[in-house]
Amino acid sequence: MSKSELPDPFEKERLEKGVGKMNDQDDPVVMVLRHKDVRRCAHNWKTFQSGAQPGRIVVPSEVHIRDIRQIPFEVDPPEHKEYRALVEGWFRRPLQAEYEAKLQTQISGLVEEMLSRDSLEVVSEFSLTLQSRALTLLLNIPFEEAQTWISWGIHVFRSDNNPLDADKANILYNYLDEQIEKAAQNPSDNLYSVLLASEFQGRKLTREEIKGTMILTFAGGRDTVINAVTNTIAYFAEHPQSLERLRNEPEILGRAVEELVRYFSPLTHMGRVATEDTQVCEHAIKADSRISLCWASANRDASVFENPNEIMLDRKTNPHVAFGFGTHNCLGAHHARQILKVLIKTLAEKVESITIQKKEDNVEEWGEFNRKVGFENIHVKFNRLS
Ligand code: EMZ
């Protein structure tokens, strides 16, 4: 196994039982592992709801560190649809040529900076910087603001020794209160102002709803994007021939992005709360207990993906669920895809190879499963294409 590989820890349980079990702060989770069941349960929002107590559908549960509902993520239909409609257009802006050009300028600049160095740590110096700078485009606010978010570190709810750190979460919450207030005083054309002007069911959005939407925007796309970017660098470091292939066959870029996202599955799973007694794969699920939709497992399901543990850059049929599935599919997916597309294009244009100097895996523990999701750190050198 070469080092950038992310093994699939779910295969045996997926084949034998279809579900796995884990405890999480005394609120157990039945992990749904097969592609078809994951999609079926995601589709069935009446039985498997998102609108439970705020924080409870996230694994690990965030009920002890927040009581603000993230919107539209923790709301069920029909309200979900109306909230989502308020932001859907805004989150499609990454598809515009002008947005892509700005992203290109940011990413080219960052790659150039890295090319001039003998060593860099990808997670903290490259991926976090890239993610934070790109977020200024998504929010439509000045580039300089990225520096504040970079200073918060990788995860907004986690610190080094504490996977659920309420003090850390408060940094974000206080910051958002300030920014919302600022936008209320001085309306402009950023996301805060757009939300302040938005109406839900004939009334203005409340400050709490705006904050819930902003928390999702900050938290949902942070470590996921950072992992995807870091894994992309690690993959091309170990497969320089793949970078060369993309240089020669730019037409497969779109497929390559989907395939990398399938393979990396940056978000391992997302929970739901059962609204009634039911079952999944003949496993009883009690009302008010939790399941999780394990995107990472579904994306390695051999009944759907040929050679699921291989990265086939031009994979043709690729119904992956790395961005979720159904009603709640990822709002930030256009932005995330553009980031990866522009990043890979830029690497192919400028970088000959990437040398790995040292690295440490980031392994998540989910009950009986240990899943490598990326790297804690990975030190590399970018070598320029001449
Ligand atoms: C939540 C979640 C959303 C959660 C799509 O995922 O991402 C997690 O990283 C956050 O901790 O609060 O936003």
Side-chain angles (χ1 to χ4, degrees), residues 58 62 66 70 73 155 157 215-216 219-220 223 267 270:
V58 183
E62 293 171 354
R66 68 177 164 93
Q70 292 185 17
F73 164 65
H155 197 282
F157 296 134
I215 296 174
L216 176 63
D223 42 2
L267 182 69
M270 184 49 72

Side-chain angles (χ1 to χ4, degrees), residues 5 8 28 40 64 83 87 100 105 124 146 148 155 164 176 206-207 229 233 237 267-268 270 288 325 347 356:
E5 282 181 13
D8 167 26
R40 191 171 51 81
H64 300 301
Y83 279 123
V87 286
E100 186 174 332
T105 306
S124 59
T148 306
H155 197 282
L164 292 163
L176 290 176
T206 64
R207 291 284 171 109
V229 168
I233 300 294
L267 182 69
T268 300
M270 184 49 72
D288 199 41
F325 182 75
L347 293 173
I356 298 181

Side-chain angles (χ1 to χ4, degrees), residues 55 58-60 62 65-66 70 73-74 155-158 164 173 215-224 267 269-270 295 328 330-331:
V58 183
V59 191
E62 293 171 354
I65 57 160
R66 68 177 164 93
Q70 292 185 17
F73 164 65
E74 292 175 319
H155 197 282
V156 284
F157 296 134
R158 250 171 248 161
L164 292 163
Y173 298 165
I215 296 174
L216 176 63
T217 307
F218 272 91
R222 195 166 175 90
D223 42 2
T224 43
L267 182 69
H269 55 168
M270 184 49 72
W295 320 117
H328 285 284
C330 177
L331 187 58

Side-chain angles (χ1 to χ4, degrees), residues 6-14 368-372:
L6 305 177
D8 167 26
F10 306 108
E11 185 181 16
K12 187 165 176 285
E13 295 299 292
R14 183 174 59 240
E368 59 194 300
F369 309 109
N370 289 333
R371 173 173 191 246
K372 175 179 164 188

Side-chain angles (χ1 to χ4, degrees), residues 223-341:
D223 42 2
T224 43
V225 169
I226 290 169
N227 271 334
V229 168
T230 306
N231 286 335
T232 300
I233 300 294
Y235 169 71
F236 286 118
E238 284 174 354
H239 301 87
Q241 71 285 6
S242 294
L243 205 50
E244 198 184 333
R245 179 168 180 203
L246 284 154
R247 205 159 24 244
N248 299 328
E249 295 174 62
E251 64 280 6
I252 67 166
L253 190 53
R255 280 192 201 146
V257 167
E258 295 311 310
E259 176 64 349
L260 291 172
V261 174
R262 176 193 72 84
Y263 185 83
F264 300 152
S265 294
L267 182 69
T268 300
H269 55 168
M270 184 49 72
R272 296 288 189 268
V273 174
T275 53
E276 58 189 353
D277 287 351
T278 180
Q279 53 177 37
V280 178
C281 294
E282 288 160 33
H283 189 89
I285 310 287
K286 285 235 165 299
D288 199 41
S289 71
R290 301 198 293 165
I291 65 163
S292 80
L293 311 171
C294 190
W295 320 117
S297 169
N299 283 340
R300 299 294 178 94
D301 191 327
S303 68
V304 177
F305 304 99
E306 199 184 318
N307 299 329
N309 298 316
E310 254 173 58
I311 296 183
M312 292 159 55
L313 289 177
D314 62 348
R315 189 183 285 276
K316 294 190 179 58
T317 315
N318 196 347
H320 72 76
V321 288
F323 289 117
F325 182 75
T327 327
H328 285 284
N329 68 35
C330 177
L331 187 58
H334 298 303
H335 179 69
R337 287 184 163 112
Q338 283 298 43
I339 288 178
L340 291 180
K341 186 177 133 192

Side-chain angles (χ1 to χ4, degrees), residues 138-161:
L138 191 61
L139 269 53
N140 200 29
I141 60 172
F143 180 78
E144 295 68 44
E145 195 64 11
Q147 217 39 54
T148 306
W149 311 332
I150 291 169
S151 75
W152 295 342
I154 306 299
H155 197 282
V156 284
F157 296 134
R158 250 171 248 161
S159 52
D160 277 351
N161 311 315

